[in-house]
Amino acid sequence: MTNNRRLLLCMPHMSGNEMKFIEEAMRGNWAVPMGPHVDAFERALEEFLGLEGTGKRVVALSAGTAALHLALVACGVGPGDEVICQSMTFAASCNPVRYVGATPVFVDSENVTWNIDPSLLDRAISERISLTNRKPKAIIIVHLYGMPAQVEEIRAVADKYAIPVIEDAAEAFGSNYGGQAAGTFGDFGVLSFNGNKMITTSGGGALIVPDEATRRRVIYYATQARDGYPYYHHTEVGYNYRLSNISACIGLGQMTVLNQHLEHHRRVHEIYGELFASEPRIMLSGNPTEKYDANFWLSTILLSRELSIKGREDAYVQPTENAVGGAAAVTRQASDVHSTCEPSVDVEALRLRLSRLNIETRPLWKPMHRQPVFAECPAYVSGTAETLFERGLCLPSGPDIAPDDQKFIVNSILDSIN
Ligand SMILES: *Cc1c(COP(=O)(O)O)cnc(C)c1O
C-alpha cells in the first residue's frame, strides 16, 4: 500500500482568518513594513508568551535569522569577537555570527535534550578566556525540535561569566520549561514564522528583548538606523528587517489557531509513542522530566544499533538537490568531512524506503562543527551530536498528519526492520 498524498514533515495550515486581516490591511492601505497589524501581532505574541510584568517586549522582524542577527548587534558583537553556539542546529543559528564578522565557537550537545551541554559550555568558555584573554561575547543556545535546553544549568554558567544568552527558540514556539515560555529565559529570544514552523507569516520572525529601551534600539537597527532628523541622517549601519504589515496579518490569523496547532503536535507525538511502544529498538524522543513541556514541532526517533533495515545494502548517502535546484555537494572530495559524518546506512535505507511509500522523513541537523563552511571554527566536541545525526530521523508531524497517517508511517517503519 502506498499513500496517494505525500506525507510531509510540517506544512503550513491556515485558520481561515488570515484573509480577513489582510483585507482589513488593504482597505487601510497598510501594505508597508510597519502598521497596525504589526503592532497587534507583537502584542498578541507578548500576551501568549506571558511577558506582562516582566519588562520584556517583542519586535516582529522579517525572519528568525534577522532576529538572531539583530540580537548579536544589540549585544555589541563585532569583528574579532567569539560567540559560543550550539553545534547541533540549523545553520541559521550561527550564520549571523559571521554576518557581524565574529567567529562561532561550537559546543556539543548533551544526550537528554540534544541541546548544548552545560558542563562542556563551561569548559569551552574558560578555555577560550585562557587562550584569547577575552570572554566570548554571547552564547547562542537552541531548543531543537521544540525540546527546551537545560536552561537553568546554562543560565548558571552564563551568569558565572556574565555573558548574555541568545535563545534560538525558532523551533520552540509554545514550548515551556517549568511553566515558562521558551524564548523568555535568555537575554534575547528568537522566534521564526517560516512556512514549516509552528505558525507561519509566510516568512518572518521575532526578537524577544529584555526591555523597552532595547526594543527601541532593535527597531532602530531594523529600520536602517535612521537618526531623529527631518532628513536622512545616519551615525550607524542599519538593516531593513521589519516584518511587513501583510505578513503580520497572516500571523494574526495564525494566532487564532496556535493553541490548536500545539495540541495537534503534542497529540501526534503521543500517538507515535503509543505506536512505537512495542519496538524498543526505535527510541522516540520525549520530555525528560515533567518540567519540560516540548511543543514537539517535529517528532524524532533514534534507531538502535541493534536493528537493521531491509535493503540497507543499497542505501548509501547520495547528494540531493539543494535549495536552488543545483546538485549539492558535487564539489565534495573523498576526504571531505562528510565522508566521516553522515547518517548511518540504516537511517538512509529507512529514509529511502519511506520515501518510496510517499512518506517524507529527514535526518536530524548535521552538526555545525562538521560543516565544511565552519571547518576552521573552534569546536568543543563530545561526539553526542554526531551520534544523534548518525542515528536519528524526523517524522511527519504537521497539521495535515492524521492518526491513520501515523499508523501507516509507523507500520511502514516496523515493516522495514529486520
Ligand atoms: C528556522 C530556524 C531558524 C531561522 O528562522 P527563519 O525565520 O527561517 O530565518 C533559526 N534557527 C533554527 C533552529 C531554525 O529551525
Side-chain angles (χ1 to χ4, degrees):
M1 183 184 114
T2 322
N3 247 36
N4 292 329
R5 178 172 64 94
R6 191 161 175 85
L7 302 173
L8 299 167
L9 291 174
C10 187
M11 294 296 284
H13 162 262
M14 293 301 119
S15 67
N17 299 318
E18 290 79 5
M19 279 311 287
K20 218 179 61 199
F21 291 111
I22 292 174
E23 276 165 21
E24 190 181 282
M26 296 309 261
R27 272 198 304 275
N29 204 20
W30 281 108
V32 285
M34 58 175 286
H37 298 90
V38 174
D39 299 340
F41 185 44
E42 288 174 338
R43 299 301 84 75
L45 292 169
E46 288 170 350
E47 193 186 323
F48 178 82
L49 294 164
L51 298 190
E52 206 184 52
T54 67
K56 287 185 185 256
R57 303 296 306 271
V58 169
V59 180
L61 297 167
S62 56
T65 310
L68 278 150
H69 188 180
L70 291 188
L72 292 167
V73 170
C75 288
V77 182
D81 288 332
E82 288 189 344
V83 173
I84 303 262
C85 186
Q86 178 168 322
S87 183
M88 187 155 190
T89 186
F90 179 41
S93 300
C94 55
N95 278 335
V97 175
R98 281 286 176 76
Y99 302 170
V100 296
T103 303
V105 173
F106 295 111
V107 174
D108 212 325
S109 291
E110 32 80 9
N111 60 20
V112 178
T113 73
W114 302 0
N115 296 307
I116 197 164
D117 180 337
S119 54
L120 203 52
L121 171 66
D122 195 338
R123 228 184 72 200
I125 296 171
S126 78
E127 194 172 313
R128 295 326 292 169
I129 293 172
S130 57
L131 280 175
T132 66
N133 266 324
R134 295 171 61 191
K135 278 196 300 194
K137 268 281 178 69
I139 301 165
I140 300 173
I141 68 164
V142 190
H143 307 300
L144 278 190
Y145 306 114
M147 179 59 68
Q150 295 183 349
V151 285
E152 287 173 296
E153 292 84 350
I154 293 164
R155 191 79 247 181
V157 175
D159 288 349
K160 176 172 149 191
Y161 296 100
I163 301 174
V165 173
I166 300 168
E167 204 185 336
D168 181 350
E171 300 176 3
F173 187 37
S175 298
N176 298 295
Y177 176 84
Q180 188 181 328
T184 67
F185 291 92
D187 299 82
F188 291 88
V190 170
L191 300 175
S192 168
F193 313 119
N194 207 330
N196 59 348
K197 298 288 161 70
M198 191 54 74
I199 62 166
T200 180
T201 57
S202 79
L207 187 62
I208 303 163
V209 299
D211 49 45
E212 177 59 27
T214 313
R215 174 178 170 269
R216 285 173 198 271
R217 194 93 191 123
V218 166
I219 291 176
Y220 158 83
Y221 283 119
T223 52
Q224 311 286 20
R226 188 181 170 194
D227 293 329
Y229 293 84
Y231 46 90
Y232 285 83
H233 182 90
H234 306 272
T235 48
E236 285 185 275
V237 172
Y239 306 88
N240 181 8
Y241 276 171
R242 214 52 173 122
L243 186 70
S244 119
N245 194 64
I246 299 300
S247 297
C249 290
I250 303 174
L252 282 172
Q254 292 276 287
M255 288 304 282
T256 66
V257 283
L258 171 58
N259 282 322
Q260 267 165 260
H261 283 198
L262 288 165
E263 251 169 64
H264 174 84
H265 283 255
R266 289 181 171 122
R267 180 80 190 124
V268 163
H269 176 263
E270 198 176 308
I271 292 173
Y272 276 132
E274 289 159 11
L275 294 171
F276 282 123
S278 60
E279 181 44 87
R281 293 172 297 173
I282 304 270
M283 290 155 287
L284 179 74
S285 72
N287 289 316
T289 71
E290 73 234 18
K291 272 200 149 181
Y292 290 82
D293 180 20
N295 64 6
F296 293 113
W297 169 58
L298 294 183
S299 285
T300 55
I301 53 171
L302 293 180
L303 305 192
S304 154
R305 291 182 202 281
E306 278 145 41
L307 58 69
S308 74
I309 298 294
K310 294 171 187 164
R312 74 198 297 275
E313 305 76 24
D314 306 322
Y316 56 93
V317 180
Q318 288 177 314
T320 52
E321 296 250 303
N322 72 15
V324 290
V330 286
T331 56
R332 276 189 192 133
Q333 289 150 18
S335 61
D336 196 287
V337 285
H338 184 78
S339 62
T340 55
C341 185
E342 60 187 31
S344 70
V345 85
D346 289 305
V347 163
E348 183 58 6
L350 183 57
R351 189 188 71 77
L352 290 171
R353 279 179 69 91
L354 295 173
S355 182
R356 284 192 290 268
L357 296 170
N358 244 349
I359 300 166
E360 180 191 35
T361 58
R362 193 173 295 160
L364 306 184
W365 297 122
K366 178 172 178 170
M368 290 302 119
H369 70 270
R370 301 309 301 261
Q371 302 283 358
V373 65
F374 295 119
E376 306 303 313
C377 300
Y380 292 80
V381 176
S382 62
T384 301
E386 285 171 39
T387 304
L388 293 170
F389 174 62
E390 279 161 25
R391 310 299 312 174
L393 214 48
C394 302
L395 302 180
S397 312
D400 55 333
I401 301 300
D404 280 347
D405 299 327
Q406 291 191 261
K407 275 188 201 131
F408 176 64
I409 292 164
V410 173
N411 286 337
S412 303
I413 292 173
L414 298 179
D415 285 348
S416 302
I417 302 174
N418 270 324

